[in-house]
Amino acid sequence: LDPQMVTDGLWKWRAGAPGLPGVPEVPWTNYAGWLLVAAVMAAALTIGPRPVSQNRAEAGGADALPMALYCWTWLGSLLAHAVFLDLRASALYGAVGMGLLGVPLLASLLHGTTKRDQPLLAR
């Protein structure tokens, strides 16, 4: 989102902060900050209470929405940055970064299984 907003002129950082190759307008510390926020949120979700379901299939079905949103965000942002916004370097960073989780996720969806060996598309 930050490269889009900078390109559109909605915000900018002070000059002199080093950025990533191809996206010099956004300092690398911005990405580091977002990574820290994401890590704290993920940690909070893993230690927080979890809903109890009646059966295993019911519990697995709760994963469908977050998985769909992740794939939508990953692939939609890739398309938008690469094709419509002409932010190819940003598209590449996003494709690789989110692809670290997105590629295995899509592979498991296409093969119909997760690490639990349960069909995903049949849920």
Side-chain angles (χ1 to χ4, degrees):
L1 183 59
D2 293 329
Q4 288 175 245
M5 298 297 111
V6 170
T7 300
D8 207 24
L10 297 175
W11 66 65
K12 65 179 178 177
W13 283 267
R14 293 183 183 176
L20 296 173
V23 192
E25 309 86 17
V26 181
W28 68 267
T29 53
N30 181 64
Y31 302 110
W34 279 114
L35 181 61
L36 177 64
V37 167
V40 168
M41 290 174 63
L45 289 172
T46 61
I47 62 173
R50 295 179 185 198
V52 178
S53 65
Q54 298 296 323
N55 60 49
R56 189 177 174 112
E58 190 177 299
D63 293 340
L65 181 60
M67 289 189 296
L69 287 174
Y70 188 89
C71 290
W72 174 264
T73 302
W74 171 42
L75 298 173
S77 295
L78 173 61
L79 176 67
H81 282 227
V83 177
F84 301 113
L85 301 172
D86 198 28
L87 298 169
R88 288 178 179 77
S90 175
L92 179 63
Y93 289 125
V96 171
M98 291 187 76
L100 293 173
L101 296 176
V103 169
L105 174 60
L106 281 180
S108 70
L109 289 170
L110 293 173
H111 289 92
T113 60
T114 65
K115 64 181 180 179
R116 296 182 200 134
D117 264 346
Q118 293 180 341
L120 284 176
L121 299 178
R123 292 182 187 169

